[in-house]
Amino acid sequence: MTRAPLSHSPKKTPRPAPMPPPRRSWGRRLLIWLAAGAVWGGVAVGAVIAFYALQLPSIGALMDETRRPGITLLARDGSLLATGGEFYATPRAVRDLPPHVWQAVVAIEDRRFFNHFGIDIIGLTRAIVVNLTEGRSAQGGSTLTQQVAKNVFLTNEKSLKRKVQEALLALWLERRYSKEQILGIYLNRVYLGGGAWGIDAASQRYFGKPATQLNLYEAAAIAGLLRAPTRLTPIRDPVATAGRAQVVLDAMVRANFIPEAAAQAAIASGAPMLGQIAAPRPGRHFADWVMEELGDIVPIDRDLVVQTTLDPALQRQTEEKLAAMLAQEGGERKIGEGAAVILDPDGAIRAMVGGRDYRRSQFNRALAPRQPGSSFKPFVFLAAMEAGWTAESRVEDSPLRIGSWTPDNYDRRFRGSVSLSQALAESLNIPTVRLAQDVGIKKVISLAHRLGIRAKLPANLAVALGAGEVTLLDLTGAYAALANGGKAAWPYGILSIRDRAGALLWQGEPIGDALIDPPIAASMRAMLRGVITHGTGKAAGVAGEGAVGKSGTTSDYRDAWFVGWDSTQGRVAGVWLGNDDNSPMARVTGGDVPAKLWAWLMLD
């Protein structure tokens, strides 16, 4: 049987090999990577911006003032005496200012201010190039709008977060406010040194007038402070201020705000004034004291305007006379320092000088405890008269021994029986100690405290000769009580306190309580007049017939005092001379240089 042939399955056609993928060039791959990186970078930047945007402060806080309250001290005549804390003055709209005021700021800080949208791309690029070239941060690229954003909302923190928020706020400000409004916010909020915030505060601080009255040079000088307001103030460095003012004027010329001739004229006429500004205002020791006292009167929780008792003209004269006397007598007589206080008879402080030069030393010697020597003796004689003694009562000036202590008179002489008037006029020590023994030293101390001596005094008889320590201010105030007939005259320096809106917060009133019987006060006045007419204070006699006072000298001539009043002038004054290190002077007594200075202060 024949078998059929086996059938063969048809042959399969082989598939062609797959083509390899086309090779991309490295350039094309780089473009793809860059594109992807840009997308993801944009996403990342957008996320960062969104994150920081959510943390922006409330826009409603634009003009909120989160700062320490400012304190403005005015002299008796209403003139500016000093400022403390952060000083803000009247907000000024740009349209109310002379054009050269805002032009000076724009020229030196942001010349393209009116052309950019809040961020100056050209200025930023230039700053980056300069900083990279010089290898340091030589230029900044922030616009005025960015500075407003930073000053109002942010801090000076150097971080990416702050930079991003600053840029976002700048864009928002440009959309929300006009250029003039942004410039106005900047001018009213920028720090300009010396505690002054805003153009008007700086104008008041440095030139004593509102910003609406600034001339071209003054405007340039203030604008120049923006670079380093703490270091460049005319009070601290008038030479540096003048240099920056010239830079600002040159910038104003380049910005076509002023012609070259105007800049040169401003420099010629304005530069000399900066040296005058560098001199400190009168009454700086007094101002410091008032600032310290203020917190005990009212809470410092808002801006305060404080009217003080200081007489600027008398204060300046007192400073000049003390400095002149020390320059004349100080070297040869080894007098290093001094202090002076002038009061009204009710205790109002009209002048207070705490040292020969406030710039060299801010220490207030009018408040420093020192031994008063014989200028303390009137309290002993007052206590004796309250106990029944009179000016004509007799007391022995003869050798005296108390335990191991043997007091002696300055001239080491004894005069026998003397009247209280003679004993005080000649400043005799032994009769004074005998009176203190008779009356009791505790009564003497009590009377001194009653009249305003606040220091704790040791209860020993040496205190009768001024061995305790008192301040010149307290001692002069105690004499004022005698000058006004025996009424309280505790020194005070504040008349009224108001807030910035003018609301009265506190009004001072002299106490005026009777402390000494008027006849006793009158008798003491007559006895102290004898000190000048025929006693240890003859050098003060040139002050006139109304001059009344007492000298004081401590052992080894370490302290010399003269305190008293002039009824014709209505002034009570105290003078202290000595050295901060308590070293002796060259035989300077209270009836010597201090008496001469005191008499000079009493003369107009």
Side-chain angles (χ1 to χ4, degrees):
M1 174 175 183
T2 304
R3 293 184 179 180
L6 293 173
S7 59
H8 298 279
S9 57
K11 282 187 177 181
K12 294 181 180 179
T13 305
R15 295 179 180 177
M19 295 291 294
R23 298 189 67 178
R24 296 186 179 94
S25 68
W26 282 106
R28 186 176 179 185
R29 289 184 180 184
L30 180 61
L31 289 175
I32 293 173
W33 290 344
L34 289 176
V39 171
W40 286 108
V43 171
V45 170
V48 171
I49 291 175
F51 175 74
Y52 288 148
L54 291 174
Q55 301 180 47
L56 286 175
S58 168
I59 298 301
L62 180 62
M63 296 309 293
D64 286 351
E65 296 178 355
T66 55
R67 58 184 178 86
R68 294 182 296 115
I71 301 170
T72 302
L73 301 187
L74 303 178
R76 181 191 290 256
D77 61 2
S79 61
L80 180 64
L81 178 62
T83 59
E86 296 177 353
F87 178 42
Y88 281 67
T90 305
R92 301 290 180 183
V94 173
R95 68 177 67 91
D96 296 331
L97 296 170
H100 54 253
V101 173
W102 62 261
Q103 287 171 350
V105 173
V106 170
I108 197 65
E109 288 294 303
D110 188 359
R111 194 183 306 177
R112 280 181 292 277
F113 173 70
F114 293 102
N115 298 320
H116 61 63
F117 54 87
I119 300 174
D120 184 4
I121 302 299
I122 297 175
L124 184 61
T125 303
R126 183 193 67 246
I128 292 174
V129 172
V130 171
N131 293 342
L132 288 175
T133 302
E134 298 191 13
R136 62 186 180 89
S137 180
Q139 287 190 10
S142 294
T143 65
L144 286 180
T145 311
Q146 288 176 278
Q147 293 184 52
V148 168
K150 181 182 69 175
N151 292 341
V152 174
F153 292 106
L154 307 173
T155 67
N156 290 323
E157 176 190 3
K158 293 182 178 181
S159 66
L160 174 62
K161 173 183 176 180
R162 203 267 292 167
K163 282 293 185 182
V164 172
Q165 290 183 333
E166 179 184 295
L168 290 172
L169 283 168
L171 296 174
W172 179 87
L173 287 169
E174 288 280 344
R175 182 175 180 181
R176 176 68 177 79
Y177 294 98
S178 68
K179 288 287 188 179
E180 181 180 320
Q181 289 173 320
I182 293 171
L183 182 57
I185 295 170
Y186 179 81
L187 292 176
N188 285 296
R189 295 296 297 268
V190 69
Y191 183 63
L192 289 161
W197 290 84
I199 194 75
D200 201 66
S203 181
Q204 296 280 5
R205 179 71 181 88
Y206 302 125
F207 300 107
K209 58 184 175 181
T212 53
Q213 298 177 15
L214 287 173
N215 62 35
L216 175 58
Y217 188 83
E218 293 164 343
I222 290 178
L225 303 179
L226 292 167
R227 180 177 183 180
T230 302
R231 179 172 55 85
L232 292 175
T233 64
I235 293 175
R236 181 171 182 175
D237 193 342
V239 175
T241 304
R244 282 295 295 169
Q246 184 164 350
V247 171
V248 173
L249 290 167
D250 291 342
M252 295 177 73
V253 172
R254 291 195 301 272
N256 295 319
F257 285 141
I258 60 172
E260 176 68 29
Q264 294 303 319
I267 292 171
S269 63
M273 76 177 68
L274 294 179
Q276 300 173 3
I277 297 172
R281 293 180 183 273
R284 293 300 303 276
H285 286 109
F286 171 81
D288 291 348
W289 174 72
V290 169
M291 292 288 189
E292 293 177 2
E293 296 284 309
L294 197 57
D296 295 332
I297 301 175
V298 297
I300 305 177
D301 55 2
R302 70 192 84 178
D303 287 350
L304 300 177
V305 179
V306 182
Q307 183 90 35
T308 72
T309 59
L310 201 76
D311 181 333
L314 185 59
Q315 173 69 31
R316 190 176 295 279
Q317 291 175 15
T318 306
E319 292 178 4
E320 292 173 351
K321 289 177 179 179
L322 174 62
M325 184 64 76
L326 288 173
Q328 177 181 334
E329 301 274 3
E332 183 179 349
R333 307 298 298 275
K334 297 182 180 180
I335 310 170
E337 272 295 352
V341 172
I342 299 179
L343 311 178
D344 282 335
D346 69 349
I349 300 173
R350 298 181 64 188
M352 175 191 286
V353 184
R356 68 192 303 168
D357 189 344
Y358 182 87
R359 289 170 294 186
R360 290 172 51 187
S361 171
Q362 289 76 56
F363 179 63
N364 192 341
R365 295 155 190 85
L367 308 177
R370 303 285 296 217
Q371 289 190 359
S374 295
S375 60
F376 188 84
K377 287 178 180 176
F379 302 123
V380 178
F381 286 75
L382 280 169
M385 287 190 285
E386 285 190 337
W389 295 67
T390 69
E392 299 307 317
S393 298
R394 312 295 291 184
V395 60
E396 281 297 315
D397 179 23
S398 57
L400 177 65
R401 184 181 184 86
I402 303 172
S404 60
W405 181 42
T406 305
D408 205 351
N409 294 324
Y410 177 75
D411 60 5
R412 302 186 183 279
R413 294 172 47 209
F414 304 105
R415 293 162 179 77
S417 177
V418 295
S419 67
L420 265 62
S421 292
Q422 180 184 354
L424 185 59
E426 298 181 18
S427 198
L428 302 179
N429 290 337
I430 294 174
T432 302
V433 174
R434 290 189 187 279
L435 284 176
Q437 270 188 313
D438 184 86
V439 174
I441 193 62
K442 290 185 178 180
K443 289 185 178 180
V444 173
I445 293 173
S446 177
L447 186 143
H449 287 160
R450 190 200 319 163
L451 291 180
I453 301 297
R454 292 174 292 178
K456 184 178 180 180
L457 301 171
N460 58 61
L461 287 172
V463 169
L465 304 182
E469 291 187 338
V470 303
T471 69
L472 177 62
L473 183 61
D474 282 356
L475 187 61
T476 308
Y479 274 66
L482 301 175
N484 67 30
K487 297 179 181 179
W490 299 326
Y492 66 96
I494 300 175
L495 293 172
S496 66
I497 304 173
R498 299 178 183 272
D499 63 18
R500 185 69 68 182
L504 183 65
L505 305 179
W506 183 86
Q507 181 79 49
E509 293 183 4
I511 298 174
D513 295 340
L515 302 179
I516 300 292
D517 286 342
I520 293 179
S523 181
M524 176 55 65
R525 182 202 176 282
M527 293 168 66
L528 290 174
R529 175 61 183 162
V531 172
I532 292 178
T533 57
H534 57 275
T536 59
K538 293 178 182 178
V542 295
E545 295 183 359
V548 174
K550 182 70 183 76
S551 61
T553 310
T554 62
S555 59
D556 297 324
Y557 307 99
R558 299 181 190 277
D559 303 273
W561 306 67
F562 199 92
V563 188
W565 67 90
D566 187 336
S567 56
T568 59
Q569 292 284 357
R571 298 177 188 170
V572 185
V575 169
W576 168 86
L577 298 178
N579 292 297
D580 288 341
D581 61 2
N582 207 33
S583 58
M585 296 175 285
R587 300 186 64 84
V588 175
T589 66
D592 184 6
V593 182
K596 295 176 184 177
L597 176 58
W598 182 90
W600 194 14
L601 295 179
M602 287 298 177
L603 299 174
D604 289 329

